[in-house]
Amino acid sequence: RTVTLREEPTTKNTAATPIINKKQQEAEQARKLKQKADLQAKEARMKITNPKDLFRCAPEYKGLYSQFDANTGVPTHDQEGAPLTKSAMKKLKKEQDKHSKQLASRSASKDGC
């Protein structure tokens, strides 16, 4: 039998629907809280205007690294003092570039009409 999208199932389990609705509401609340936390983290991150300071000042990176490259600001050593691998430094550099692009697009949108 083919069921169209508009057709409702003919049998409903009325005893199970309040439980499902409650679970859906809890999931929706959890999703909204996560979105709010993500938005706050993004706003806090966008307050860091110099990309060199991203790994020193951003809350999610604070305390994870002990030494930084003087020119780029990319971490070179972890909190125990062990040097980071090239691939880890490359990922961090990519994250820093992404942040600088977000800053540039944000400032361009504020300056434009």
Side-chain angles (χ1 to χ4, degrees), residues 38-103:
D38 289 345
L39 182 63
Q40 289 174 344
K42 183 178 179 181
E43 288 174 356
R45 188 177 212 188
M46 293 309 285
K47 289 180 183 177
I48 301 170
T49 56
N50 189 353
K52 286 185 178 182
D53 295 333
L54 174 66
F55 300 108
R56 289 186 180 121
C57 301
E60 64 264 24
Y61 298 115
K62 209 168 210 170
L64 292 178
Y65 306 107
S66 61
Q67 294 180 9
F68 302 90
D69 185 351
N71 296 329
T72 62
V74 176
T76 57
H77 293 74
D78 63 5
Q79 63 188 7
E80 287 88 29
L84 295 175
T85 62
K86 284 185 179 181
S87 61
M89 289 175 52
K90 188 175 179 180
K91 286 180 184 179
L92 293 170
K93 178 65 178 160
K94 195 173 187 180
E95 186 69 28
Q96 187 183 42
D97 291 342
K98 180 180 167 184
H99 178 69
S100 62
K101 285 181 183 179
Q102 287 175 343
L103 286 174

Side-chain angles (χ1 to χ4, degrees), residues 13-42:
N13 187 355
T14 56
T17 50
I19 296 171
I20 294 172
N21 287 338
K22 187 175 182 182
K23 286 182 180 179
Q24 287 174 346
Q25 288 175 350
E26 289 173 357
E28 182 72 18
Q29 287 176 344
R31 184 184 63 79
K32 285 183 180 182
L33 287 174
K34 185 180 181 313
Q35 281 181 338
K36 188 175 181 180
D38 289 345
L39 182 63
Q40 289 174 344
K42 183 178 179 181

